[in-house]
Amino acid sequence: MSLIVQKYGGTSVGSTERIHNVAKRILETQRAGSQVVAVVSAMAGVTNKLIEMANEVSADNEPTEREMDVLLSTGEQTTIALTSMAINAIGGKAISLTGAQAGIFTDGEHTRARISNISPDEVHRLLDEDHIVILAGFQGSSPDGRITTLGRGGSDLTAIAMAAAIDADLCQILTDVDGVYTCDPRVVKNAKKINEISYDEMLEMASSGSKVMQSRSVEFAKKFCVKFEVKSSLNNNPGTIVTEEHPNMESVVVRGISIEKEQAKVTIENVSDEPGVAAKIFQAISESGVIIDMIVQNVSKTNHTDISFTLHRSDLKKAKQTIEAILNEISDTASMETTDGIGKLSVVGIGMRSHSGVAAQMFEALANGSINIQMISTSEIKTAVIIQEEDLEKAANIVHEAFNL
Ligand code: ADP
Ligand code: ASP
Ligand code: MG
């Protein structure tokens, strides 16, 4: 008998009617001869609504992260109960488990906890009793028993980590699109479904804005070699297989395009060009908890230079305050400038390792579309540019076309 982990995202369980359909699908999977663990997310919009309410009751104070996790975990807890009830109502035998009940242990970092280990004995015991296990995504327990959550989109991670822990034969991420596309199909209408993608490409796409998979879940899958499939919860079309790289994959130079909105840029001008300056800036930023993305430092011809970095717009205020506080220490000539209203466009593909000219082709396409590039960054398998946010969707379409995706 095979062992399958399925994960149903927020839209797929977004109404009681949809939960009913998901229940049927899960039961069919079991009846076709498998043991099934189904991980479910909160119903679409619920997590955001809970965050909104937390902010409302907290007024100017920030709610404590401990209470945030107690609150946010209720979204998934609602769905596991409803999904189990729906399966039981059509003659199945389902049981719901919270993250803690399923033996998912994390560190104590509320709202972004990392899974430290999974003790799947209870899951195995219930499966052996012919239960379908309905598992709450996105949550676990700290070593001292506090409820933790795994970061936005964290139900993907629950599914992949549980699949690794119970050595599942198959892990399916069931969502509202047919798989991973060459670009978000909501942005590029003629984006195409990718049949197979490597962990590294999926990871680069996920971490540069393709929210179809949570990036940490892909990192985990790569580390523990969990091959998984992203497919639709609404039909039976074949999805996208995410797996280890093999030589055939290199023949495709650009696998996909991602865009990331709501970015911001901080530039510190006229900083002394001497050892320790960058360390001081980024030490302070790191201590403030702000996560930064690109960093660019100009070549200096004088004794001074400019350093720019990008970050999510929601962190701009904190970053500004942090830099302001240390500006005098950096040098007496230093000044700071900030910009928001920018976004990032990335092209990703492992074939870039062995093909040149991708960046040139991308820049040419953008130039033909009169789109100005503000910053550039590259890695072995990615070229990314910062442009005006309002140009992002147009740019994604132009570049998609230029690479014939
Ligand atoms: P779920 O609720 O199932 O976790 P998400 O909303 O997190 O679903 O992810 C699915 C969405 O991701 C799609 O509706 C799509 O708009 C978006 N998306 C972004 N980039 C891509 C991509 N490259 N391929 C497919 N979907 C993408
Ligand atoms: N409900 C959580 C979120 O909206 C986790 C998830 O859906 O994966 O981020
Ligand atoms: Mg998701």
Side-chain angles (χ1 to χ4, degrees), residues 1 6 16 34 74 90 96 102 231 266 300 302 323 330 355 403:
M1 191 182 265
Q6 295 186 326
T16 48
S34 296
T74 62
I90 52 173
S96 63
K231 59 185 290 183
V266 175
S300 150
T302 61
I323 300 295
I330 300 171
H355 292 77
F403 286 105

Side-chain angles (χ1 to χ4, degrees), residues 59-365:
D60 286 342
N61 300 308
E62 284 218 350
T64 67
E65 293 188 326
R66 181 193 185 281
E67 299 312 329
M68 256 340 248
D69 277 353
V70 172
L71 179 69
L72 296 190
S73 62
T74 62
E76 273 68 16
Q77 200 165 323
T78 305
T79 327
I80 51 171
L82 292 174
T83 308
S84 298
M85 288 172 191
I87 293 173
N88 295 338
I90 52 173
K93 184 176 157 191
I95 189 161
S96 63
L97 291 181
T98 63
Q101 288 172 329
I104 300 178
F105 293 100
T106 69
D107 60 18
E109 283 286 314
H110 283 295
T111 75
R112 52 187 171 277
R114 293 190 163 266
I115 293 179
S116 42
N117 74 297
I118 297 183
S119 311
D121 296 354
E122 181 64 0
V123 171
H124 280 304
R125 190 183 68 74
L126 292 167
L127 290 172
D128 290 343
E129 285 178 358
D130 295 330
H131 283 97
I132 293 170
V133 173
I134 308 297
L135 171 58
F138 174 58
Q139 55 174 262
S141 167
S142 72
D144 56 352
R146 283 173 288 130
I147 298 173
T148 51
T149 63
L150 310 177
R152 297 306 304 266
S155 300
D156 294 335
L157 178 58
T158 304
I160 297 221
M162 186 51 80
I166 62 178
D167 197 16
D169 300 294
L170 188 60
C171 178
Q172 295 178 320
I173 306 292
L174 296 142
T175 183
D176 57 4
V177 271
D178 277 4
V180 180
Y181 280 66
T182 46
C183 190
D184 186 343
R186 287 178 216 238
V187 173
V188 174
K189 292 283 167 277
N190 58 352
K192 294 191 192 64
K193 194 185 70 197
I194 299 167
N195 294 328
E196 199 181 34
I197 185 170
S198 71
Y199 292 127
D200 284 336
E201 288 167 324
M202 188 70 254
L203 190 54
E204 285 282 13
M205 283 182 72
S207 55
S208 60
S210 296
K211 296 265 155 49
V212 59
M213 284 300 297
Q214 187 215 31
S215 61
R216 276 174 50 197
S217 70
V218 184
E219 235 174 282
F220 194 103
K222 182 183 175 191
K223 190 164 167 194
F224 294 96
C225 300
V226 181
K227 176 172 160 181
F228 64 96
E229 184 180 13
V230 181
K231 59 185 290 183
S232 171
S233 67
L234 305 166
N235 59 44
N236 284 313
N237 297 344
T240 302
I241 303 287
V242 186
T243 185
E244 269 160 29
E245 182 180 331
H246 56 73
N248 289 351
M249 285 179 172
E250 290 228 353
S251 59
V252 176
V253 183
V254 173
R255 183 81 56 195
I257 295 170
S258 302
I259 60 169
E260 203 164 10
K261 297 183 176 164
E262 295 181 15
Q263 302 297 294
K265 179 172 70 180
V266 175
T267 302
I268 310 167
E269 289 167 333
N270 251 324
V271 298
S272 315
D273 187 20
E274 61 185 30
V277 170
K280 187 167 266 163
I281 295 171
F282 293 106
Q283 184 75 38
I285 288 288
S286 135
E287 277 163 14
S288 72
V290 167
I291 295 173
I292 54 166
D293 184 14
M294 283 187 198
I295 302 178
V296 173
Q297 176 177 318
N298 284 348
V299 177
S300 150
K301 284 193 184 147
T302 61
N303 288 332
H304 289 87
T305 183
D306 300 341
I307 298 180
S308 296
F309 60 89
T310 66
L311 67 173
H312 193 267
R313 186 186 301 160
S314 58
D315 276 338
L316 181 58
K317 196 171 144 202
K318 211 190 248 177
K320 231 167 137 173
Q321 287 166 347
T322 307
I323 300 295
E324 245 149 26
I326 59 162
L327 210 53
N328 286 341
E329 295 168 40
I330 300 171
S331 83
D332 15 323
T333 52
S335 62
M336 173 176 59
E337 222 181 79
T338 61
T339 325
D340 57 9
I342 56 174
K344 188 169 74 167
L345 174 83
S346 311
V347 301
V348 173
I350 51 175
M352 280 186 211
R353 285 186 203 133
S354 47
H355 292 77
S356 58
V358 174
Q361 205 178 334
M362 177 182 183
F363 301 159
E364 192 191 358

Side-chain angles (χ1 to χ4, degrees), residues 347-388:
V347 301
V348 173
I350 51 175
M352 280 186 211
R353 285 186 203 133
S354 47
H355 292 77
S356 58
V358 174
Q361 205 178 334
M362 177 182 183
F363 301 159
E364 192 191 358
L366 291 171
N368 290 341
S370 305
I371 292 167
N372 188 43
I373 300 170
Q374 302 181 21
M375 283 167 95
I376 300 170
S377 108
T378 58
S379 79
E380 211 186 9
I381 66 164
K382 182 176 81 175
T383 303
V385 294
I386 295 288
I387 58 178
Q388 279 305 108

